[in-house]
Amino acid sequence: MALTVGFGLGAWLLLHVTLGLPLPGGSWLPLVQAHGHAQLVGFAGILVMGIGYRILPRFRSTDDPSSRLVLLSYVAVVAGLVARVVAQPLLDIPPRSLLLFLSGPLELGGGLVYAAVALRTLSLGSNPHRADEVLLAAAAAWFPIGLMWSFVALVPAMAGSALADGAAGDAATVALLLGFAGGHVIGVSCRVAPAFIAARPASTRTILLAGAAWNLGVFGLVAGYAPAAWVALASAIALTWAIGPFRRGVGVAPLSAGAGATRLAFRSAYAWLVVGLAMLALSALRGASFAEVSAARHALALGFLTLMVFGVGARLVPALSGGVGLPVPALRWAILLVNAAVALRVAIEATAGYGTGPVAAALGVAALLAYAGLVSFAAAAARSVRSSVRSFIPVPSSSRTTM
């Protein structure tokens, strides 16, 4: 999903604006909305669901959730996502309104199943409860809330419009990007940072107070109160300091190469979180153009979420699959490429918008850099998973070498 309608379509749309590349079908704005939804639900959403189903039971020392419920939620969300991404940009297909109508309940149903399973998992287990679990519980609750707003946004499109409703779509974006995906990332970071990057354990009081402020800020933004971005920004700074990617760690020896790459991802991601929220906060004071809003959202989605996926995923994929570790050079390249892409795109969109000539060429380069970074990480992760699969395949006796 990320390689096609997520990062792939996003790169194509940017190249269309800057370099005139023909569109694959449909008009630009409906494709932009389909791309954004695919990134939030297809890339971030499904990825967070998969990690949540595996990691939350380990946090709580309890049984894995029912495989039937996991499969049900996954199939429902994917089916709804595919229906929306296909139907919204194609205005002339006969079942468009029906597909859009079905997409909402399917996604919402899958999101409700995930939220219910996650909340139940967090309530069980023998381990003492910890402050980060409050963040994770709130993050799970934001998933169906965001998907509900996404369904509301589709009402004009179901009636024949090319576009989803802008205000409801903005509410869905904030709930899914910051509330659901961002909340999960922050909660997991609080738990794993000491082990992954030798950070000092975060203060329980800071996590609870800053976490409450974070969710208050998200709630305000979902409700359409733009100054709430300042609350989200202040809480993000406090949480970043508590998690500790920029503080002196507890390790007495230098980090390993893999842990060093993970720390680079943590530092980059949380820096982009602060930058993106600062841009949203400033826009609340003076307003913002479409390009400036896009710059802020890409600082958060591409800079914060994607780089945290790289950093945490590099450790979790081998641990959960039983495969070999991701190659450090490939991981570093993925992190550097995405950082370069975000810096280039955010700087240009925030200052020059979508221009021509060198500006257009630079934005095109940014799109290609982001896609190359994703491909680099995906190839490294696939190598790890393949190695775990091979380890479970028995070797025929006829092919074994005898001594």
Side-chain angles (χ1 to χ4, degrees):
M1 190 68 69
L3 290 170
T4 53
V5 292
F7 282 77
L9 179 58
W12 198 314
L13 290 169
L14 191 56
L15 291 171
H16 167 76
V17 171
T18 57
L19 303 178
L21 193 70
L23 291 175
S27 56
W28 190 73
L29 275 177
L31 285 169
V32 168
Q33 290 186 337
H35 152 70
H37 192 71
Q39 284 289 73
L40 288 173
V41 179
F43 173 54
I46 292 174
L47 185 65
V48 168
M49 288 172 66
I51 292 175
Y53 280 138
R54 294 299 302 275
I55 203 171
L56 295 184
R58 285 150 181 80
F59 284 178
R60 297 296 312 130
S61 187
T62 189
D63 294 333
D64 288 334
S66 163
S67 58
R68 291 183 179 179
L69 288 178
V70 172
L71 184 61
L72 174 64
S73 65
Y74 174 77
V75 170
V77 170
V78 171
L81 174 64
V82 170
R84 172 168 179 168
V85 169
V86 169
Q88 185 180 349
L90 302 179
L91 302 180
D92 298 329
I93 59 172
R96 180 175 184 264
S97 295
L98 176 61
L99 288 174
L100 291 175
F101 175 76
L102 293 175
S103 70
L106 283 169
E107 288 183 346
L108 181 56
L112 285 169
V113 171
Y114 173 79
V117 170
L119 291 172
R120 183 175 184 275
T121 300
L122 289 168
S123 71
L124 300 175
S126 57
N127 288 342
H129 287 287
R130 292 173 56 168
D132 52 64
E133 293 169 12
V134 178
L135 284 172
L136 292 168
W142 279 114
F143 195 25
I145 293 173
L147 293 173
M148 179 197 69
W149 276 111
S150 177
F151 186 34
V152 171
L154 280 179
V155 171
M158 286 187 282
S161 171
L163 300 175
D165 179 75
D170 289 342
T173 297
V174 172
L176 294 171
L177 177 59
L178 299 180
F180 171 59
H184 272 87
V185 167
I186 293 170
V188 170
S189 296
C190 291
R191 181 68 65 95
V192 305
F196 283 10
I197 61 173
R200 297 181 184 276
S203 159
T204 296
R205 183 181 180 185
T206 301
I207 293 175
L208 291 175
L209 292 177
W214 170 264
N215 282 286
L216 180 63
V218 173
F219 177 83
L221 289 170
V222 170
Y225 184 62
W230 289 99
V231 179
L233 173 61
S235 61
I237 293 172
L239 287 165
T240 298
W241 183 254
I243 291 165
F246 298 102
R247 290 191 293 151
R248 183 181 178 86
V250 297
V252 295
L255 293 178
S256 66
T262 298
R263 184 172 63 180
L264 174 63
F266 267 70
R267 287 177 170 176
S268 303
Y270 279 98
W272 285 118
L273 173 64
V274 172
V275 168
L277 288 172
M279 295 176 72
L280 288 180
L282 289 173
S283 71
L285 298 177
R286 57 177 180 79
S289 66
F290 177 87
E292 290 171 330
V293 172
S294 175
R297 289 181 175 177
H298 280 87
L300 295 168
L302 186 58
F304 174 54
L305 289 183
T306 302
L307 287 169
M308 280 304 298
V309 167
F310 290 0
V312 174
R315 302 294 295 272
L316 288 183
V317 169
L320 297 178
S321 69
V324 300
L326 274 64
V328 175
L331 177 59
R332 285 188 178 277
W333 271 112
I335 295 168
L336 292 173
L337 286 169
V338 170
N339 264 311
V342 181
L344 197 57
R345 177 161 189 167
V346 169
I348 292 174
E349 285 186 326
T351 56
Y354 304 111
T356 58
V359 170
L363 283 173
V365 170
L368 296 176
L369 288 174
Y371 196 78
L374 177 67
V375 169
S376 177
F377 178 80
R383 175 178 175 271
S384 176
V385 174
R386 282 198 306 270
S387 70
S388 69
V389 173
R390 292 194 193 101
S391 67
F392 287 103
I393 299 176
V395 179
S397 57
S398 59
S399 65
R400 295 174 183 158
T401 303
T402 57
M403 300 298 291

